[in-house]
Every structure is written in structure tokens, then in C-alpha cells.
Amino acid sequence: MTHPVPPSTDTGAPAPPASRDGEDRSARIAVTLFPAIIIVAFLIGFLFPAQTAPLAQYTSVALGIIMFAMGITLTLPDFALVAKRPLPVLLGVVAQYVIMPSIAVALVFVFQLPAELAIGVILVGCAPGGTSSNVITYLAKGDVALSVTMTSVSTLLAPIFTPLLTLWLAGTLLPVDAGAMAMSIVQMVLIPIVAGLLVRWLLRSWVARVLPALPWVSVLGISYVVVAVVSGSADSIVEAGLLVLLVVVLHNAFGYMLGYVAARLFRYPERVARTTAVEVGMQNSGLAATLAAAHFSPVAALPAAVFSVWHNISGGLLALFFRARSARQEKAAAQQPTVQS
């Protein structure tokens, strides 16, 4: 999912209000309907596996389109934030690649998951930040600019960290070809993002007109991946669906909590803590599912497919919780008596 309020245009000037409002409104509608659309996609793949199984051969193309759309939404100020506020960005990216893989390994151990499901859970944990985290951060009244930068940096680092962490943490479960996985990530993630950045730079006026449609590109792309992945693991859903759902819910919840706690331990303000919580808890499950299906098996892709459904539901609930907290704090501040000098 592309971010809702671009902090600036390519020149560093504020984005036109009409463009901002259109993209903002489109992103909010998309993220509100996203869980329902993903659930429908999940059911289509589950109920009609034979008819939807051929879609699996094009999941890498769908993911590339999602990443291309993400690249189009990015601007130079998104990356300039790394130089202006390096420590919060560093905390978010390090937490992303430390907390979620660690939780994944712990859950695999506690629930004694079979090898294919275990490597799928670990792969979700080793994925970069989710593309819908930016919209959820906005709805949660977090720091959107920081969220965009964290997602962008963790995604650009994915060709290095995702295969290496998967090899290190899951190499004893199944053979892991880290080199082939890294090349897949370069082809499906890095190249499309760079292409999107170039298109944004070369065709600025055209891009401004299509920005409101880009959240829907992500929605449809991830829905396609979910249909394809679920169609290949329908039997496993019947056998282990509830167990996978429990593991996914715990993985996601601990990610939110530990991401928030990590930011607070470093004495960052509430908005940064909310942003870090969302960034850590929400994963690029589309990437994890595509990699699992391509390099392991459809069963290994099941945790990522379930995660794709769940983390968008939980993200919306988390945003509601944070917004309610902000409303209570604002009300309490308004009721405090004014101290006269």
C-alpha cells in the first residue's frame, strides 16, 4: 500500500493540496476496504483451488507491480530523512530485522511447527516492512514521513537481510539458496522500485494525476498473490489453518508491542513509538508469500497468506486504539485548568 500523504514533491516544496487530498482519501478508503477484499481473495483461492492455481506462475509479476507503484510514490525527501533523523530510522530498521525474526523463531520452537510451515513463519519474520504500514501509521496519528522512510530503507535492504536471515535461522529446516533468493528480491523489489523512482522523476505531472489510484494497485496486487498462494495450499489450510492463524496473530501482536516498547526505551515521543510499532508489526507478506512459493513450497507460503489477511485487520484495530488514546489525551488536556501567571 502506498503512503497517503506525500511529505513533499520532488522539488522539496509542499505537495498541491488537491493532490494530497485525493491520494489521502483514496488511501483511507483502500485501507478500510482492504481486509474485506483480502478475505474475499482468500476465500476464492480456498474454494476454487483448481481454477485459480494457474495464477501462481505470475505472482512475481504481481509483486513487481506493487513495488513499482511503491517506487512511484517515493520522493527524495523520503530518503533525506535518513540524514536528518538517522537514529529513529535506524531503530525502526534494526527492530524490523531483529524483533520479527526472533519472535518467528520463538513461535516455531514453542509450537513445534513442521518444517514447511516453520520456514514460512520465519520468512515472514525476515521480510521488510509492509507496504500498508504507512497508511496505518497515518490513521494511528503516527509520523507518516518517518514510516515511509523506514519502509523504504528496510525494503531496499531486503535483498541482503531477508535471504541471509532466512539462511541463518531456517537453514537447518530445509535447504535455503540465499543467492537465488537475493536475486529474486532484486528482480521483484529493487528493480521495480528504482524504475518507479525514475518514472516519478521523469513524468512528474503525469504521476501527480495517477497517485490516488496507486493504493488500489497495491490492494489488487496483494489480493492476486493471496488467491494464488491459497489455491496451492488449500489442503494445508484445512489441516493446520487454526494453528497457523494463532501463530500469525501472536507474531503480529508481539511485533506491535515490542516495536512500541523499543521506541519508548530509547525515550522517543509517542508519535515515533506508534510508528515503530506499526513498522515492526506489519510485514511485506506479499514478498514473503512469493519467495516461499518460489523457493520452497505452497505450504511454506501459507503463513504469509494468513499474515496478509490478519495484519491489515489488526493494523486497523491498532489505529483505532491509538486514535482513541489521542482523543482521551486531548480531552484531558482541554479540561485542565489554565494556570494564570
Side-chain angles (χ1 to χ4, degrees):
M1 186 81 68
T2 52
H3 61 87
V5 186
S8 63
T9 64
D10 297 288
T11 61
S19 175
R20 276 191 181 182
D21 291 344
E23 189 183 357
D24 179 17
R25 183 168 56 254
S26 178
R28 278 186 290 166
I29 295 171
V31 80
T32 301
L33 297 178
F34 194 20
I37 295 171
I38 293 295
I39 289 172
V40 170
F42 192 97
L43 291 175
I44 290 173
F46 179 71
L47 296 174
F48 306 101
Q51 292 83 352
T52 55
L55 299 177
Q57 58 186 317
Y58 301 111
T59 53
S60 60
V61 176
L63 184 66
I65 292 172
I66 296 168
M67 293 297 101
F68 177 74
M70 176 182 176
I72 288 180
T73 67
L74 297 177
T75 63
L76 291 179
D78 295 333
F79 296 98
L81 198 64
V82 177
K84 294 178 182 177
R85 300 169 61 192
L87 294 182
V89 175
L90 180 63
L91 172 65
V93 174
V94 170
Q96 176 74 52
Y97 284 117
V98 172
I99 289 176
M100 291 303 275
S102 300
I103 298 171
V105 171
L107 290 171
V108 165
F109 175 78
V110 169
F111 289 97
Q112 293 294 295
L113 296 179
E116 288 183 311
L117 290 178
I119 205 166
V121 172
I122 291 172
L123 192 50
V124 169
C126 297
T131 53
S132 58
S133 62
N134 313 138
V135 184
I136 297 299
T137 297
Y138 170 72
L139 296 175
K141 295 193 171 183
D143 189 328
V144 177
L146 179 61
S147 173
V148 171
T149 303
M150 285 181 178
T151 303
S152 304
V153 173
S154 69
T155 301
L156 293 176
L157 291 174
I160 299 172
F161 286 110
T162 298
L164 288 180
L165 286 170
T166 304
L167 174 62
W168 180 41
L169 299 174
T172 58
L173 299 173
L174 288 172
V176 177
D177 189 339
M181 189 180 296
M183 185 56 63
S184 294
I185 298 173
V186 169
Q187 293 171 347
M188 296 185 298
V189 175
L190 197 58
I191 292 175
I193 286 178
V194 172
L197 282 166
L198 288 174
V199 168
R200 174 97 186 219
W201 181 61
L202 294 171
L203 304 172
R204 297 176 191 175
S205 59
W206 175 80
V207 167
R209 292 195 293 269
V210 303
L211 279 176
L214 294 182
W216 294 101
V217 173
S218 294
V219 169
L220 295 176
I222 295 174
S223 299
Y224 181 99
V225 172
V226 168
V227 171
V229 167
V230 170
S231 67
S233 54
D235 293 338
S236 300
I237 294 173
V238 175
E239 296 173 6
L242 290 178
L243 176 61
V244 172
L245 177 60
L246 175 60
V247 171
V248 163
V249 169
L250 291 174
H251 195 187
N252 179 231
F254 279 115
Y256 288 146
M257 288 189 289
L258 294 179
Y260 184 88
V261 169
R264 292 310 253 172
L265 286 175
F266 281 87
R267 301 179 182 274
Y268 285 115
E270 175 71 13
R271 290 184 71 224
V272 173
R274 293 181 183 187
T275 303
T276 307
V278 173
E279 284 299 315
V280 173
M282 301 189 75
Q283 301 292 87
N284 191 332
S285 49
L287 174 61
T290 304
L291 290 174
H295 295 277
F296 301 104
S297 70
V299 175
L302 178 58
V306 175
F307 200 98
S308 184
V309 177
W310 173 251
H311 82 156
N312 287 289
I313 296 173
S314 67
L317 295 174
L318 182 68
L320 288 175
F321 169 77
F322 279 138
R323 290 180 74 88
R325 175 190 282 185
S326 294
R328 289 195 301 269
Q329 292 171 343
E330 291 168 2
K331 183 177 180 181
Q335 291 175 344
Q336 288 180 351
T338 302
V339 178
Q340 296 183 359
S341 57

